[in-house]
Amino acid sequence: MGVTAVLALPLLLLGISGLLFIYQEVSRLWSKSAVQNKVVVITDAISGLGKECARVFHTGGARLVLCGKNWEQLEDLYDALISVADPSKTFTPKLVFLDLADISCVQDVAKEALGCYGCVDILVHNASVKVKGPADKISLELDRRIMDANYFGPITLTKVLLPNMISRRTGQIVLVNNIQGKLGVPFRTAYAASKHAALGFFDCLRAEVEEYDVVVSTVSPTFIRSSNVLPGRGGWQASICKFFSRKLTYGAHPVDVAEEVMRTVRRKKQEVFMANPVPKAAVYLRTFFPEFFFAVVACGVKERLSVPEEG
């Protein structure tokens, strides 16, 4: 009996490993089939997350339209994708210069992106501009620029490309948002406002276009490589705030987010919230126990910040 148990355990582990390998391979092939030959537009493709999204979609055989506001970096990304790709299984990416903060040019650039292949199957909104500082120290001009880049730019691009999806009765729009579309953190008023606005727009749009078989998805990770002001030494309130602040700022890796975007496209999921238990608990507290949540957040606001440069 003991010998049988000893022999059964390695076989069981081997069997589980084999099943996991098969599952991963099937998922990988399924992901490829979901985007193969599809026209995919990715904004801010030169960012860390944008590059990873470009990589997974390019590997999957998508026809990429990569958008960014730095032409040299776009060309570098193009070279990197081409150098590792199998030309018999992938398409040469198209490059489009796009600065979503420049609203006056977004419509024309959107038409250029649409003209690359005559249609768009998947639109991935990845571009985002961040700013941190006290509300009274951030100019209205900077507030407007944040709203242009994070809200008006994406919805302008969407409004130009959406009629094509509706007329073809197919398509998917993926908004890569942020936890601040669900709750606000001090010293990020403009950024949180833009993320709330974007999430509200695409939540409404989801219901409007469902009858045309157009899918609207939102992927909301926690902060990625951002920093918060942590309170100094103090009482239990400061300790709680410091704990929440550290946990809320623990961001997902760009590779993980890109893979989640691919899964969202493949499964046509409507909403994904990428977070560890503490940010999820914070959203729960904000919804059901707002006074407690506000007290925890406010206890950490002990210092005034100078307005840092845009990141």
Side-chain angles (χ1 to χ4, degrees), residues 2 7 20 27 42 61 66 110 139 141 154 166 170 196 230 269 272 283 300:
L7 293 176
L20 287 174
S27 297
I42 303 176
L66 304 176
S139 66
E141 180 182 356
I166 290 176
T170 184
H196 273 75
L230 300 180
K269 294 190 287 188
V272 177
V283 174

Side-chain angles (χ1 to χ4, degrees), residues 90-222:
T90 58
F91 294 90
T92 302
K94 306 285 187 180
L95 305 182
V96 174
F97 183 86
L98 172 62
D99 181 1
L100 285 175
D102 188 358
I103 300 299
S104 62
C105 299
V106 172
Q107 286 190 336
D108 292 336
V109 175
K111 293 176 182 177
E112 179 185 349
L114 184 60
C116 288
Y117 290 103
C119 67
V120 172
D121 296 300
I122 301 166
L123 170 60
V124 180
H125 284 298
N126 171 58
S128 182
V129 175
K130 303 174 184 177
V131 69
K132 182 176 69 174
D136 60 339
K137 294 292 173 48
I138 295 178
S139 66
L140 282 174
E141 180 182 356
L142 183 53
D143 281 337
R144 292 190 184 98
R145 185 177 179 187
I146 297 297
M147 289 299 295
D148 283 345
N150 296 352
Y151 175 69
F152 286 110
I155 72 168
T156 302
L157 182 60
T158 298
K159 285 173 179 287
V160 176
L161 300 181
L162 185 60
N164 178 268
M165 294 183 178
I166 290 176
S167 66
R168 297 167 57 236
R169 301 190 70 87
T170 184
Q172 185 168 2
I173 300 170
V174 181
L175 171 69
V176 180
N177 207 44
N178 187 276
I179 189 176
Q180 293 212 50
K182 295 179 176 290
L183 54 84
V185 175
F187 306 111
R188 289 175 174 83
T189 50
Y191 182 69
S194 68
K195 292 301 180 180
H196 273 75
L199 186 62
F201 177 89
F202 286 100
D203 277 351
C204 293
L205 183 65
R206 179 183 295 114
E208 294 181 19
V209 299
E210 183 178 1
E211 64 176 303
Y212 303 109
D213 295 324
V214 176
V215 178
V216 176
S217 307
T218 57
V219 178
S220 300
T222 51

Side-chain angles (χ1 to χ4, degrees), residues 50-109:
K51 291 177 182 177
E52 293 300 330
C53 286
R55 178 184 60 80
V56 295
F57 280 99
H58 186 63
T59 303
R63 293 182 285 177
L64 291 180
V65 180
L66 304 176
C67 305
K69 56 184 180 181
N70 185 303
W71 189 256
E72 290 184 0
Q73 292 182 25
L74 278 174
E75 290 182 329
D76 290 341
L77 175 59
Y78 174 93
D79 293 338
L81 292 174
I82 294 299
S83 65
V84 298
D86 183 347
S88 65
K89 298 180 180 179
T90 58
F91 294 90
T92 302
K94 306 285 187 180
L95 305 182
V96 174
F97 183 86
L98 172 62
D99 181 1
L100 285 175
D102 188 358
I103 300 299
S104 62
C105 299
V106 172
Q107 286 190 336
D108 292 336
V109 175

Side-chain angles (χ1 to χ4, degrees), residues 2-18:
V3 175
T4 303
V6 171
L7 293 176
L9 182 59
L11 291 175
L12 178 62
L13 294 175
L14 183 62
I16 293 174
S17 300

